[in-house]
Amino acid sequence: MASGPEIEVVSNPSKEWLEEKGVFNWGTWGCEASKFPWSYDSNESCYILKGKVTVTPSDDRNPVTVGEGDFVTFPAGMSCTWDVSQAIHKHFKFF
C-alpha cells in the first residue's frame, strides 16, 4: 500500500507552546489497556496526559510508541492499530 504523511511526535513541548495551540481547552478521551483498529477521516492532534500506546499504521508508515508528555499528530486517511499498554488519557482535536 502507498504511504502518506508520517505520524508526527513532539516530546515534552513547553506549557507555553501547548497553551498557544489551545490544547488545555480541547476535549479529552481515554481508554483502558486494549488493542483495536482505528481509521482517521481527518487529521488529529493530541496531547498525552497519561498512559502509553503503540500506533502501527496498516501501510508502510513507521509505527510510533507515545506516552505521557507527547504531542502527536495523526494524518487524515491513515488506518492503524492502537495497542494501549497503559491506560491512556489525552486532550484531542480533529481538524
Side-chain angles (χ1 to χ4, degrees), residues 6-44:
E6 294 287 340
I7 300 168
E8 297 176 13
V9 180
V10 177
S11 294
N12 298 305
S14 69
K15 184 177 179 183
E16 292 77 19
W17 188 85
L18 294 168
E19 287 174 345
E20 280 182 22
K21 293 189 171 298
V23 169
F24 303 111
N25 295 318
W26 296 355
T28 58
W29 177 86
C31 74
E32 296 300 315
S34 56
K35 188 172 184 176
F36 56 91
W38 189 256
S39 293
Y40 290 91
D41 294 329
S42 56
N43 295 316
E44 179 194 356

Side-chain angles (χ1 to χ4, degrees), residues 12-88:
N12 298 305
S14 69
K15 184 177 179 183
E16 292 77 19
W17 188 85
L18 294 168
E19 287 174 345
E20 280 182 22
K21 293 189 171 298
V23 169
F24 303 111
N25 295 318
W26 296 355
T28 58
W29 177 86
C31 74
E32 296 300 315
S34 56
K35 188 172 184 176
F36 56 91
W38 189 256
S39 293
Y40 290 91
D41 294 329
S42 56
N43 295 316
E44 179 194 356
S45 286
C46 64
Y47 178 63
I48 310 294
L49 298 167
K50 70 174 186 175
K52 186 175 180 182
V53 61
T54 298
V55 179
T56 304
S58 301
D59 56 20
D60 59 357
R61 290 179 247 210
N62 294 314
V64 297
T65 298
V66 293
E68 183 175 335
D70 287 331
F71 183 89
V72 189
T73 301
F74 300 103
M78 184 183 76
S79 293
C80 58
T81 299
W82 272 58
D83 189 355
V84 180
S85 56
Q86 297 172 11
I88 281 284

